[in-house]
Amino acid sequence: MHFENQPHIPPATPGGSTASFTSLDIPHRVKKNRGNYNCGRCGLPKKGHVCHLPPTSTTTTTPTQTPTDSSVSVSTSTSRPPPRQQYSNLRRALSFDDSDLRCDSPEVEIDESEMDLFVSGCGKLPVSCMWEILRRLPPAGLLAAGSVCKGWRETARRLWRAAEELRLRVPPRSQPGFVGSVLQKCPGLSRLNLRLESDLDSTMFACIAFSCPNLEAVEISTSETAVNRITGDELGRFVADKRCLTSLKMEGCSNLGGFVLCSSSLSTLWLSDLYCLSKMVFNCPNLKEISLDFSRQENDSTDIIAMVDGLGRSCPRLQNVHVASVRLSHAAVLALTAANLRGLRMLSLVLGTEITDASVVAISQSYSKLELLDLSGSSISDSGIGMICNVFPGTLSRLLLALCPNITSSGIQFATAQLPLLELMDCGMTICDLSSQYPTSDESGDFELQTTFKNKLHLIYQKVIIKHSRLKKLSLWGCSGLDALYLNCPELIDLNLNSCKNLHPERVLLQCPSLESVHASGCHNLLIEGIQSQVSNNFAAMENQFPNKRLADGSKRVRVPQFLSQQPYDEDKKRRRIASRPCNVLVD
């Protein structure tokens, strides 16, 4: 490897000594004069330097380094920021970590205007390039890079100090000190995302609180093998101590038991896997978004009505509310509507089988500006959909009604016809074939009765016809009672037909030129092939929309790009046409 401004040093023999190896470059000792700040033996700057060479009077020494070792060390140190004066190979081989980055203020953070003034390693890689390379490494890779040399360690240290967001996966059987050692490197950390594969206890929670005093957003997710052991008191202290905390998202909160949350800065709160909460007190006047996901166990003793009532009264600025619990009822809906949350825009009440059309009436009377309404798992019917369409035609853009067995294809078609701003609709498991829920002929012993019943079920298979100009995502997963589907949605990009096993290929028509993904897992092969042929034909037709024009000699016709066409066109349609891709049919 060649270095600039360095004398040529021939390779030494294995039996040669260090003195004889360097005597080729230093034939005699240079006389030390006043003002000479270089070493008299090796010629390097004296500042911070310990010379490795013996006096010139020494003629023989024991070998300290072989040529092979020297070459390995040099290649290892090539990424180190060199000083202003170049070093020799031997210097780099023996003590390259003793040198430092020669700058006026090494402790000052390097900004973009200063980065190019420094170089890293003998290859003169700018620190700006090293910065861009190292900042793309995961935390484990950045820790390893900091152990290579002092130049890399300095750049890694500055990266840790400048980090504002950290995504960290905690492996199984890891110690809390591992998390603390990483977090203490980031004094300016404001957003933390932890993926825990080990248990979360009070020690690790306190380590997070102590190492990151300026946290604004915390997201803690747990794997299937990890257990969240945080109690409600520990959670309350954490929220109260973090004066800058605005967002808290945590999974596996089955051991809380109860909590009291007091914060003037918290605006987003997500808690999942809640179970048997004795008390829930929210004193968060600036809370705007809340998501409470309870466990699906039947013996959950949480008082949902009292929780919803306290939430509505103590958090007046709520805009997004999501509650998932099998204990949701019409009384809980009345408690929420009595709070009169004027800024409410998104309401999601999931798995409440006791939520009926009367609950829809209460919601529509209290909140007339909803943009998202999710009543999945409820008992509303087509009449409830009619009330939704009468109240929210000018605001509602997302409607989710999955797992609602009382809804028919008529209600779905009515919603798409009466909600012009609708962009997302989920009707999964609404139109179902109930024949599989009844015992077979072998179990009942009444073959004729079962055959008659199944024949009647086949007569009530339903079809869905939707024509909508703004719908982008439609989900009909699990609609086994659907046998015909006709869609005319030019903006539709995602269609979910998973487990629609009774759809006939000849009764499926997809006039959706923007379609990108069709989910068809659990469908029979004929239907999958029919969908694939339709979406491929749609893409070919879309590609052939360019006008044709003959060449100057009239020999053949060629397609003319849109920008050369004389006809006016819409800029948005042009961009979509250029960015269009073939539709993918997903069956796994």
Side-chain angles (χ1 to χ4, degrees):
M1 184 177 294
H2 177 68
F3 299 91
E4 297 180 3
N5 301 327
Q6 291 186 356
H8 174 67
I9 301 177
T13 59
S17 65
T18 305
S20 62
F21 179 77
T22 58
S23 63
L24 297 176
D25 291 18
I26 309 176
H28 60 278
R29 181 167 181 171
V30 180
K31 181 180 179 181
K32 179 179 177 181
N33 298 323
R34 182 177 181 82
N36 187 4
Y37 297 98
N38 294 336
C39 179
R41 281 176 280 180
C42 63
L44 297 178
K46 289 182 177 179
K47 184 178 180 180
H49 167 61
V50 177
C51 187
H52 59 278
L53 296 180
T56 55
S57 59
T58 304
T59 58
T60 59
T61 58
T62 58
T64 59
Q65 188 83 14
T66 63
T68 303
D69 294 337
S70 176
S71 62
V72 172
S73 299
V74 172
S75 62
T76 304
S77 64
T78 54
S79 298
R80 181 189 58 82
R84 293 176 181 175
Q85 187 172 353
Q86 297 291 339
Y87 289 169
S88 65
N89 288 3
L90 192 59
R91 166 66 179 176
R92 292 180 181 275
L94 294 178
S95 55
F96 62 88
D97 278 338
D98 293 339
S99 61
D100 195 0
L101 182 65
R102 308 294 181 179
C103 58
D104 296 335
S105 180
E107 296 297 328
V108 179
E109 296 291 334
I110 298 179
D111 56 18
E112 294 182 358
S113 61
E114 297 175 346
M115 277 187 178
D116 292 333
L117 299 179
F118 303 97
V119 293
S120 177
C122 58
K124 293 189 176 181
L125 180 66
V127 174
S128 58
C129 297
M130 181 63 65
W131 180 283
E132 291 297 324
I133 293 172
L134 294 184
R135 78 180 183 88
R136 287 169 169 80
L137 294 178
L142 191 58
L143 287 173
S147 304
V148 174
C149 63
K150 194 163 186 179
W152 285 31
R153 182 166 61 249
E154 182 70 14
T155 306
R157 184 188 67 83
R158 288 168 175 161
L159 275 169
W160 287 115
R161 292 180 60 86
E164 296 182 354
E165 180 177 3
L166 179 62
R167 299 177 180 270
L168 188 63
R169 182 182 66 87
V170 182
R173 298 182 299 276
S174 64
Q175 299 297 327
F178 165 73
V179 179
S181 62
V182 175
L183 296 182
Q184 287 179 0
K185 298 176 181 291
C186 312
L189 196 66
S190 60
R191 296 183 297 276
L192 176 63
N193 188 320
L194 286 180
R195 172 65 179 175
L196 295 177
E197 297 179 0
S198 60
D199 294 349
L200 176 63
D201 53 11
S202 58
T203 304
M204 185 174 293
F205 208 52
C207 182
I208 297 172
F210 176 77
S211 303
C212 306
N214 301 319
L215 275 180
E216 298 179 3
V218 179
E219 182 173 353
I220 301 176
S221 57
T222 57
S223 63
E224 296 180 357
T225 58
V227 179
N228 187 345
R229 306 185 186 278
I230 301 300
T231 63
D233 295 337
E234 295 167 349
L235 180 63
R237 287 195 297 269
F238 180 83
V239 173
D241 293 340
K242 296 298 178 184
R243 302 298 179 89
C244 302
L245 189 65
T246 59
S247 175
L248 175 62
K249 302 178 182 180
M250 184 183 298
E251 292 182 355
C253 303
S254 57
N255 295 315
L256 290 181
F259 56 82
V260 178
L261 299 183
C262 299
S263 175
S264 59
S265 61
L266 193 64
S267 62
T268 302
L269 177 64
W270 290 12
L271 301 176
S272 65
D273 302 320
L274 298 171
Y275 176 69
C276 290
L277 296 178
S278 59
K279 62 178 179 179
M280 285 177 289
V281 179
F282 301 92
N283 186 9
C284 306
N286 293 318
L287 193 64
K288 296 181 180 180
E289 179 177 350
I290 188 168
S291 174
L292 302 176
D293 194 345
F294 291 81
S295 63
R296 309 295 185 263
Q297 301 182 24
E298 295 280 341
N299 56 352
D300 188 4
S301 59
T302 305
D303 190 351
I304 299 295
I305 299 176
M307 182 270 294
V308 172
D309 181 71
L311 180 66
R313 297 182 185 279
S314 60
C315 306
R317 303 185 65 180
L318 276 174
Q319 297 179 1
N320 306 335
V321 175
H322 170 78
V323 180
S325 174
V326 294
R327 298 181 61 84
L328 277 172
S329 61
H330 177 62
V333 174
L334 294 179
L336 182 62
T337 55
N340 192 19
L341 301 174
R342 298 181 180 180
L344 194 64
R345 294 295 180 268
M346 299 182 181
L347 179 61
S348 175
L349 303 176
V350 181
L351 301 179
T353 56
E354 298 182 13
I355 295 178
T356 60
D357 293 340
S359 306
V360 177
V361 174
I363 293 173
S364 59
Q365 290 177 351
S366 301
Y367 309 113
S368 59
K369 297 182 179 179
L370 289 180
E371 300 173 3
L372 180 147
L373 180 60
D374 187 358
L375 298 177
S376 298
S378 64
S379 300
I380 69 170
S381 62
D382 293 346
S383 300
I385 293 181
M387 286 182 282
I388 292 173
C389 296
N390 292 333
V391 177
F392 308 109
T395 60
L396 198 64
S397 61
R398 283 166 283 181
L399 179 62
L400 297 94
L401 301 173
L403 296 169
C404 297
N406 298 329
I407 292 178
T408 65
S409 60
S410 300
I412 297 174
Q413 294 177 151
F414 187 77
T416 55
Q418 299 298 320
L419 298 174
L421 302 181
L422 196 63
E423 296 182 358
L424 182 148
M425 188 170 187
D426 185 3
C427 303
M429 293 292 290
T430 53
I431 309 173
C432 296
D433 183 2
L434 303 179
S435 59
S436 59
Q437 300 180 5
Y438 290 86
T440 60
S441 58
D442 295 336
E443 297 175 353
S444 64
D446 194 350
F447 177 77
E448 295 182 357
L449 179 60
Q450 291 297 326
T451 303
T452 304
F453 180 76
K454 290 183 178 180
N455 291 334
K456 290 183 178 179
L457 283 176
H458 282 292
L459 295 177
I460 62 173
Y461 280 153
Q462 305 175 44
K463 63 181 178 180
V464 172
I465 303 174
I466 296 178
K467 182 178 180 181
H468 202 283
S469 60
R470 300 190 62 172
L471 190 64
K472 295 182 179 180
K473 294 186 179 181
L474 176 63
S475 178
L476 297 171
W477 61 274
C479 291
S480 56
L482 187 67
D483 68 341
L485 178 63
Y486 304 97
L487 299 180
N488 186 354
C489 305
E491 299 293 329
L492 191 68
I493 60 176
D494 189 274
L495 176 62
N496 192 333
L497 298 177
N498 287 339
S499 300
C500 293
K501 54 186 177 181
N502 291 316
L503 265 177
H504 295 280
E506 62 274 10
R507 297 181 183 177
V508 175
L509 179 60
L510 305 179
Q511 296 179 347
C512 309
S514 301
L515 200 58
E516 297 179 359
S517 301
V518 178
H519 305 267
S521 177
C523 301
H524 53 82
N525 295 332
L526 291 178
L527 177 61
I528 296 174
E529 293 175 359
I531 294 175
Q532 288 176 340
S533 71
Q534 286 199 36
V535 296
S536 60
N537 292 337
N538 289 340
F539 181 75
M542 182 176 56
E543 287 293 315
N544 292 328
Q545 288 179 356
F546 294 111
N548 293 333
K549 185 177 181 181
R550 289 190 180 275
L551 294 178
D553 57 357
S555 58
K556 60 180 181 180
R557 298 175 66 89
V558 295
R559 285 191 296 174
V560 180
Q562 188 72 18
F563 64 89
L564 295 178
S565 177
Q566 299 298 327
Q567 300 178 358
Y569 57 91
D570 188 13
E571 289 293 336
D572 294 336
K573 292 182 179 179
K574 174 189 173 184
R575 292 194 200 98
R576 288 197 302 269
R577 194 169 297 162
I578 294 175
S580 61
R581 294 182 178 88
C583 178
N584 297 320
V585 180
L586 308 176
V587 294
D588 295 330

